[in-house]
Amino acid sequence: QVQLVESGGGSVQAGGSLRLSCAASSDAISRYCISWFRQAPGKEREGVAAIDSDGTDFYTDSVKGRFTISKDNAKTTVYLQMNSLKPEDTAMYYCAASWYRCYSGSLRIQSDFRYWGQGTQVTVSS
C-alpha cells in the first residue's frame, strides 16, 4: 500500500509560480512511475507530468517549458515546479503512482495508476 499526500497548492496571479509536493509513505518514488494529474471544474482529469524510477520525465504539451517534475528519493517526495502560470492551469492537482514504467503514453492511461493522493487546489487569477 502506498500513501501519497500532496501539498503546496494555493492562489496566485497569472505569471506567478507554485511548487507542489507529493510525499510518499514508502520508497515508491524510487521504484514507481509517479505522475501529476489535474482536474478543472466541469472537465475531465488530465495527465500533466510524469517521472519514472530512472528520472526520465514526460509532459503534456500545454505545460512543456513551464512545468518541471522532479524527485528526491531520500525524501520520498516528488515535486512539480509550475512557472508562468495561466488561468487555465486552475484545477485540483493529484499525484498518482503506477508500478508500470513511465512512457510517453502514461499520462493518457489513468487506469495504470493504482495509488492516488487527495489533491491540492491551484487557482490562477488573471
Side-chain angles (χ1 to χ4, degrees):
Q1 186 73 16
V2 177
Q3 294 182 335
L4 304 170
V5 179
E6 303 94 334
S7 62
S11 297
V12 296
Q13 291 190 328
S17 298
L18 282 173
R19 188 177 79 158
L20 306 184
S21 298
C22 172
S25 60
S26 67
D27 65 347
I29 69 164
S30 65
R31 297 183 287 114
Y32 289 15
C33 169
I34 307 296
S35 180
W36 286 96
F37 291 85
R38 67 184 180 187
Q39 187 167 21
K43 295 187 176 181
E44 293 185 353
R45 189 165 57 190
E46 64 170 348
V48 175
I51 188 164
D52 202 11
S53 56
D54 65 358
T56 303
D57 54 9
F58 303 88
Y59 300 91
T60 193
D61 287 346
S62 62
V63 308
K64 285 180 180 177
R66 300 189 299 123
F67 290 11
T68 303
I69 190 170
S70 63
K71 62 177 181 171
D72 185 330
N73 287 339
K75 296 182 178 179
T76 65
T77 300
V78 173
Y79 304 98
L80 185 67
Q81 178 67 44
M82 306 186 296
N83 299 327
S84 302
L85 282 162
K86 304 176 181 180
E88 51 264 43
D89 294 318
T90 295
M92 184 71 79
Y93 283 71
Y94 302 89
C95 69
S98 167
W99 52 50
Y100 298 109
R101 295 294 301 272
C102 284
Y103 66 107
S104 59
S106 294
L107 297 177
R108 300 189 298 273
I109 307 179
Q110 298 182 30
S111 59
D112 280 354
F113 292 84
R114 179 172 181 176
Y115 305 104
W116 293 79
Q118 83 291 347
T120 186
Q121 177 68 37
V122 171
T123 303
V124 184
S125 58
S126 58

